[in-house]
Amino acid sequence: MKEGRYHALDSLRGLLLINMVLYHALYDVVYILGIPLPWYTGWPGYVWQQSICWGFIFLSGFCFRLSRHPVRHGLVVLEAGVLVSVITYLAMPSEFILFGVLYLLGLAGLIQCGVWQLWSWWKRRPFPAWLGLGLSAGAFLLTRNVPRGSLGFEGWELLALPGWLYQWDWLAVAGLPGPGFHSSDYFPLIPWMFLYLCGYFLWRAVGHRRRVMEKLKPGFAPLAFLGRHSLLIYLLHQPVLMGVFLLLGKL
């Protein structure tokens, strides 16, 4: 393993990656092979899918300041998101992905770079980490349903938002999709930027504590390897899986 890395974080990313591949493999089983899996299309499958997404986004926020080149990293991830959009539009229009999770992670990282630089330029005192974590968590819970037209979290609807906010497709990136917007993988800035900030502020709270961070250096080598190559695996796994299941479907 490389020195200077927090291999536990790489290992956690690798574990999330394995779960994502398994989840997408079962997606192909259900929707390509046509084998019904009620638990997968029901609440247990939804919770599984959300836990994977939440884990990746939260972990990305935590690791923001651990990157040596955060701007370059954000641009690379954003470019990968654009590549996924182009490929799905050309090869699988019905599964077109716009403003998916890679868009979110790339944009969130770039926005965070800009905010961090402005804050440093003004030479202000750092925003209290635990306060930031609490406010970000509260904002995420409050705005989780914004893309669906209301304030609230999952089945809890606090306040319906006015329909005129959802008239323009170009606002979909912010979390206000218009009536003509469609994406098979949709992670807008609202609410998901707040979950990313939860990870960032948790790092702010514990990143300076050597005893805590030292515990993150050991990891499980195979998972850590996957975690270090998560972007490449993300880009390749679904085309490979779909190819395999399409062949199986013809047998």
Side-chain angles (χ1 to χ4, degrees):
M1 291 184 177
K2 296 180 180 179
E3 294 295 326
R5 291 190 67 94
Y6 295 100
H7 302 296
L9 300 178
D10 288 328
S11 299
L12 177 57
R13 190 180 293 108
L15 182 61
L16 290 168
L17 192 66
I18 290 174
N19 274 268
M20 180 193 67
V21 172
L22 291 174
Y23 180 86
H24 286 162
L26 290 179
Y27 180 94
D28 294 339
V29 168
V30 172
Y31 294 103
I32 293 181
L33 297 185
I35 299 175
L37 294 174
W39 70 268
Y40 179 82
T41 53
W43 180 251
Y46 177 73
V47 171
W48 184 25
Q49 184 257 356
Q50 288 293 292
S51 69
I52 298 168
C53 299
W54 285 39
F56 270 119
I57 295 168
F58 184 89
L59 185 59
S60 294
F62 187 90
C63 294
F64 166 73
R65 288 290 301 276
L66 299 179
S67 174
R68 295 180 181 179
H69 306 286
V71 173
R72 185 175 68 185
H73 178 76
L75 288 172
V76 168
V77 175
L78 184 59
E79 289 168 0
V82 173
L83 179 63
V84 169
S85 293
V86 171
I87 292 174
T88 54
Y89 178 78
L90 295 176
M92 301 173 292
S94 62
E95 299 294 325
F96 178 53
I97 294 175
L98 183 61
F99 305 137
V101 68
L102 293 182
Y103 275 93
L104 169 72
L105 297 180
L107 286 174
L110 293 174
I111 291 170
Q112 188 66 5
C113 285
V115 171
W116 184 56
Q117 288 295 334
L118 284 174
W119 198 270
S120 300
W121 180 62
W122 286 335
K123 296 182 179 180
R124 299 293 182 90
R125 293 181 60 186
F127 195 79
W130 291 113
L131 177 60
L133 178 58
L135 291 176
S136 298
F140 175 67
L141 295 176
L142 182 64
T143 63
R144 174 65 181 90
N145 292 343
V146 164
R148 305 173 188 173
S150 68
L151 295 178
F153 182 81
E154 296 296 345
W156 171 60
E157 183 177 309
L158 178 63
L159 177 68
L161 296 174
W164 60 264
L165 290 173
Y166 299 85
Q167 295 183 15
W168 304 280
D169 288 347
W170 60 271
L171 285 178
V173 66
L176 304 172
F181 178 79
H182 169 74
S183 177
S184 294
D185 184 40
Y186 180 45
F187 287 87
L189 291 171
I190 298 174
W192 299 104
M193 181 71 189
F194 297 120
L195 182 59
Y196 183 94
L197 289 174
C198 286
Y200 168 73
F201 280 114
L202 180 61
W203 175 86
R204 280 274 314 279
V206 303
H208 63 284
R209 300 182 181 180
R210 177 171 293 187
R211 184 175 299 178
V212 173
M213 298 305 289
E214 284 293 324
K215 292 181 179 179
L216 297 178
K217 286 190 173 181
F220 183 54
L223 288 178
F225 175 82
L226 294 176
R228 290 195 299 272
H229 299 87
S230 57
L231 181 58
L232 179 61
I233 296 172
Y234 180 91
L235 292 174
L236 294 178
H237 84 281
Q238 189 63 311
V240 171
L241 286 175
M242 291 191 71
V244 170
F245 285 107
L246 284 172
L247 287 174
L248 290 175
K250 294 179 180 179
L251 295 178

